[in-house]
Amino acid sequence: MRWEVWLAYFAACWVIAVSPGSGAVLSMSHGLSYGLKRTSTTILGLQTGLVIILLVAGGGLGALLLASEEAFLVVKTIGAMYLIYLGIQQWRAKVDSGPQEQADAGAVRVAVMSPRRRFATGLLTNVTNPKGIIFMVAVLPQFIDPGHPLGVQLAILAATMCFVDLIVMHGYALLASRMQGLFRNARAVRWQNRFFGGVLMAVGTALFFVRRHHN
């Protein structure tokens, strides 16, 4: 891979990562609810899903998926329903106030997902995102040189994208975690859960309107 090609891809990765999407919403939601350290597990799941999509697109399976109306519809529906499910779960997340003396001080207990569940949530959020597949299939080939080994190039592209996305998603989570002090009472936390839950449901609903590219 030529240096100038990699630089162009590196710049594209920043634009993609910073653009709001389901991964950013999830990172902010978990950052606000659980803090930056715990959200790192969620972000690791997001990166694993990102690598899977990149390998699928780079290996040609993404193009085959987009060529089949039925297969694309299945992936789109699964992705949309999963985000809506996450939104409902976030909306209904249990929030417990502490004892009365703690409640007066604003202490709130928020049910925390297990690390395994946080990782799986991040993984499935990205791997079931048809917009990610469309982007990879449309853009990735522009940065692949058919005259060089595909495996090495995919490894470089995956490492670059994950490096950038890790920084950006942790940035979103950090910004959200800094706002935890504003959500010290049960009522505020419930509204926060409903806001992010509503956003996730809206993003999931929007996926139903995503169309594949026709040749």
Side-chain angles (χ1 to χ4, degrees), residues 1-12 143 156-157 160:
M1 178 180 292
R2 298 193 308 275
W3 179 250
E4 60 271 20
V5 174
W6 180 83
L7 283 178
Y9 177 75
F10 183 65
F143 299 98
I156 294 173
L157 295 175
T160 302

Side-chain angles (χ1 to χ4, degrees), residues 55-121:
L55 294 178
V56 166
L61 295 179
L64 293 176
L65 178 63
L66 294 186
S68 170
E69 183 73 42
E70 293 76 14
F72 183 77
L73 180 61
V74 169
V75 172
K76 180 173 71 171
T77 301
I78 292 175
M81 294 302 295
Y82 183 67
L83 286 179
I84 292 173
Y85 165 77
L86 287 181
I88 294 173
Q89 292 294 100
Q90 182 83 21
W91 185 286
R92 300 175 59 187
K94 186 177 180 180
V95 178
D96 295 323
S97 298
Q100 185 60 45
E101 61 273 13
Q102 293 180 349
D104 291 338
V108 176
R109 294 195 302 270
V110 179
V112 180
M113 289 183 179
S114 67
R116 180 179 298 180
R117 187 176 176 189
R118 292 198 302 274
F119 177 86
T121 299

Side-chain angles (χ1 to χ4, degrees), residues 165-187:
D165 204 62
L166 275 170
I167 294 175
V168 173
M169 292 304 113
H170 274 95
Y172 279 130
L174 176 62
L175 289 175
S177 68
R178 296 298 188 188
M179 298 175 62
Q180 283 184 319
L182 301 177
F183 296 89
R184 292 186 178 276
N185 61 76
R187 182 179 181 183

Side-chain angles (χ1 to χ4, degrees):
M1 178 180 292
R2 298 193 308 275
W3 179 250
E4 60 271 20
V5 174
W6 180 83
L7 283 178
Y9 177 75
F10 183 65
C13 285
W14 282 101
V15 174
I16 300 161
V18 173
S19 301
S22 55
V25 173
L26 187 65
S27 296
M28 289 187 290
S29 173
H30 282 199
L32 190 54
S33 296
Y34 311 135
L36 179 63
K37 185 176 180 179
R38 285 173 171 162
T39 304
S40 291
T41 305
T42 306
I43 296 173
L44 182 59
L46 286 171
Q47 304 316 305
T48 304
L50 199 61
V51 170
I52 291 174
I53 290 180
L54 187 144
L55 294 178
V56 166
L61 295 179
L64 293 176
L65 178 63
L66 294 186
S68 170
E69 183 73 42
E70 293 76 14
F72 183 77
L73 180 61
V74 169
V75 172
K76 180 173 71 171
T77 301
I78 292 175
M81 294 302 295
Y82 183 67
L83 286 179
I84 292 173
Y85 165 77
L86 287 181
I88 294 173
Q89 292 294 100
Q90 182 83 21
W91 185 286
R92 300 175 59 187
K94 186 177 180 180
V95 178
D96 295 323
S97 298
Q100 185 60 45
E101 61 273 13
Q102 293 180 349
D104 291 338
V108 176
R109 294 195 302 270
V110 179
V112 180
M113 289 183 179
S114 67
R116 180 179 298 180
R117 187 176 176 189
R118 292 198 302 274
F119 177 86
T121 299
L123 169 65
L124 292 174
T125 295
N126 264 353
V127 85
T128 60
N129 185 356
K131 293 179 68 176
I133 296 175
I134 290 175
F135 173 82
M136 292 294 185
V137 173
V139 175
L140 205 61
Q142 302 178 39
F143 299 98
I144 294 178
D145 186 347
H148 292 82
L150 178 61
V152 175
Q153 294 182 79
L154 287 179
I156 294 173
L157 295 175
T160 302
M161 177 164 284
C162 286
F163 171 76
V164 172
D165 204 62
L166 275 170
I167 294 175
V168 173
M169 292 304 113
H170 274 95
Y172 279 130
L174 176 62
L175 289 175
S177 68
R178 296 298 188 188
M179 298 175 62
Q180 283 184 319
L182 301 177
F183 296 89
R184 292 186 178 276
N185 61 76
R187 182 179 181 183
V189 173
R190 289 192 188 98
W191 277 109
Q192 170 244 304
N193 285 338
R194 290 173 182 175
F195 172 77
F196 281 108
V199 172
L200 285 170
M201 285 187 279
V203 173
T205 302
L207 287 186
F208 283 115
F209 299 96
V210 172
R211 294 179 176 272
R212 68 188 181 97
H213 292 307
H214 296 276
N215 294 328

